[in-house]
């Protein structure tokens, strides 16, 4: 297949500082691996060790197995080129170094072509517990392992293609689709034979939410329902008020297979659902107590 015009090429004279790495096509860079400091590698090691310990028995088996299979370790920040050899052989996905968030359509186009953009820089030591924008730890530790799973790998490609399409339909369709991403790829839970587990990248990369999402009585845990999710507002500044639970990645793939065009049209006639709302029709795993929730702020 044709080489995309924005495929990575070698960039000379890299600088270490965030924001100073040459960007040669809408946010894409070559991972400046040699410029990571001892502090950067130590931040990776600390976060990696802490989350792995926390996630045994909390993250789904597929996530933990995939992370091992990729050869990620706490020893050093992984090289995208080395991970790519394993990932490409497994599911045909490749990682692309990026400076930060990309324009929506670029992001969708990468996913549609099985390229996953990964932020090259890692948070500072004083940001260990919380950072607003996605960094290398969130992207690489959180998102990349499940790309080794054939079904999830297909879901992400389908999502990218769906994103290109929704972008052409309009902002409301995009918002519906973004909610699906938020409540699955970022904050999804899965029902495993031995209990609820995490698969969302936003949860597995957060110490606090890894515990809260599964063990707190405060949030709702509700069975996956495509249109319900696409109507549900969410939080960007606090832990989620509601988590949605899938039965399997196959269920996710099957439910999202049909053309969304008529669904977008239908949703345009309906009200949104609040981030913490439970409806009579919901399949409730746990009804949240709402303890500690802040009023307002749903987006
Ligand atoms: N079937 C969706 C559509 O027609 C595409 C999609 C698949 C979106 C998987 C999200 C996830 O738009
Ligand atoms: Fe993310």
């Amino acid at each position: 297949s044709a080489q995309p015009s924005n495929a990575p090429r070698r960039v000379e004279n890299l600088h270490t500082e965030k924001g100073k790495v040459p960007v040669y096509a809408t946010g894409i860079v070559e991972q400046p691996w040699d410029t990571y400091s001892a502090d950067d590698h130590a931040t990776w090691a600390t976060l990696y060790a802490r989350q792995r310990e926390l996630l045994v028995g909390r993250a789904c088996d597929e996530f933990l197995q995939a992370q091992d299979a990729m050869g990620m370790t706490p020893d050093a920040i992984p090289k995208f080129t080395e991970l790519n050899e394993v990932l490409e052989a497994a599911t045909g996905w490749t990682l692309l170094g990026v400076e930060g968030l990309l324009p929506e359509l670029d992001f969708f186009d990468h996913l549609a072509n099985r390229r996953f953009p990964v932020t090259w820089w890692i948070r500072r030591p004083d940001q260990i517990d919380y950072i607003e924008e996605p960094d290398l730890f969130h992207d690489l530790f959180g998102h990349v392992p499940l790309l080794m799973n054939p079904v999830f790998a297909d879901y992400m490609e389908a999502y990218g293609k769906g994103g290109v399409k929704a972008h052409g339909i309009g902002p409301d369709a995009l918002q519906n689709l973004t909610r699906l991403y938020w409540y699955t790829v970022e904050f999804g839970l899965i029902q495993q034979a031995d209990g609820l587990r995490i698969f969302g990248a936003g949860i597995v990369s957060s110490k606090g939410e890894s515990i809260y999402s599964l063990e707190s009585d405060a949030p709702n845990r509700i069975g996956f329902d495509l249109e319900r999710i696409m109507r549900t507002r969410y939080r960007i500044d606090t832990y989620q008020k509601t988590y949605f639970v899938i039965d399997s990645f196959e269920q996710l793939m099957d439910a999202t297979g049909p053309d969304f065009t008529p669904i977008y049209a239908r949703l345009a006639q309906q009200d949104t659902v609040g981030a913490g709302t439970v409806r009579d029709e919901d399949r409730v795993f746990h009804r949240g107590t709402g303890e500690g929730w802040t009023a307002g702020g749903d987006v």
Side-chain angles (χ1 to χ4, degrees):
S1 66
Q3 180 81 353
S5 59
N6 54 3
R9 61 178 160 76
R10 183 150 273 289
V11 178
E12 305 299 338
N13 301 322
L14 299 169
H15 304 275
T16 54
E17 217 178 307
K18 183 190 161 194
K20 293 244 176 94
V21 172
V23 168
Y24 60 85
T26 45
I28 296 156
V29 302
E30 180 173 298
Q31 182 190 26
W33 195 87
D34 291 338
T35 66
Y36 290 131
S37 66
D39 270 355
D40 290 337
H41 289 296
T43 298
W44 170 265
T46 301
L47 285 167
Y48 189 99
R50 191 172 85 175
Q51 285 310 103
R52 273 300 295 218
E53 194 185 332
L54 206 59
L55 290 174
V56 173
R58 288 195 177 90
C60 65
D61 293 342
E62 289 92 337
F63 178 88
L64 296 169
Q65 283 161 10
Q67 211 166 42
D68 290 338
M70 284 202 85
M72 279 191 202
T73 72
D75 304 343
I77 293 174
K79 292 184 175 168
F80 297 170
T81 50
E82 289 179 6
L83 295 178
N84 274 343
E85 286 179 27
V86 185
L87 187 57
E88 200 164 6
T91 57
W93 276 80
T94 53
L95 309 181
L96 213 52
V98 291
E99 185 60 38
L101 293 174
L102 294 174
E104 244 158 6
L105 195 53
D106 288 45
F107 177 67
F108 292 140
D109 180 65
H110 288 308
L111 296 186
N113 290 284
R114 294 199 173 228
R115 296 186 298 262
F116 193 80
V118 176
T119 305
W120 72 266
W121 54 269
I122 194 161
R123 66 192 71 185
R124 296 188 313 265
D126 61 295
Q127 297 170 316
I128 283 264
D129 288 317
Y130 183 75
I131 179 164
E132 263 175 47
E133 44 179 339
D135 74 332
L136 178 135
F137 185 74
H138 168 77
D139 286 342
L140 200 52
F141 183 98
H143 281 288
V144 170
L146 280 178
L147 296 174
M148 293 281 286
N149 178 279
V151 181
F152 192 83
D154 286 350
Y155 175 67
M156 290 296 283
E157 179 191 334
Y159 180 85
K161 290 179 171 151
V164 173
K165 193 168 78 182
H167 192 272
I169 295 175
D172 292 346
L174 263 185
Q175 192 174 45
N176 293 147
L177 192 68
T178 300
R179 293 192 188 118
L180 174 65
Y181 190 87
W182 193 262
Y183 281 120
T184 59
V185 177
E186 294 290 357
F187 293 97
L189 300 180
I190 184 166
Q191 173 81 74
Q192 216 172 263
D194 50 354
L196 288 191
R197 294 288 185 276
I198 305 160
F199 75 92
I203 308 179
V204 295
S205 60
S206 158
K207 179 186 177 186
E209 200 150 5
S210 291
I211 298 169
Y212 180 90
S213 63
L214 291 177
E215 280 139 74
S216 171
D217 284 338
N220 304 310
R221 299 183 189 87
I222 292 174
F224 176 89
D225 173 332
L226 180 68
E227 292 190 37
R228 199 286 193 207
I229 287 176
M230 290 173 110
R231 291 171 59 191
T232 307
R233 302 197 300 275
Y234 57 85
R235 306 294 298 203
I236 54 169
D237 57 337
T238 63
Y239 295 153
Q240 299 309 305
K241 291 179 173 178
T242 300
Y243 299 93
F244 290 93
V245 182
I246 62 169
D247 299 327
S248 64
F249 294 122
E250 285 80 6
Q251 179 202 22
L252 192 55
M253 206 51 206
D254 291 348
T256 54
D259 182 4
F260 284 5
T261 310
I263 300 180
Y264 294 139
R266 188 156 59 234
L267 293 177
Q269 309 304 316
Q270 296 176 357
D271 292 334
T272 60
V273 178
T277 304
V278 179
R279 305 167 320 150
D280 293 342
E281 311 91 291
D282 291 332
R283 182 161 62 106
V284 179
F285 286 75
H286 172 80
R287 183 179 290 264
T289 60
E291 194 192 332
W293 286 0
T294 51
D298 292 7
V299 296

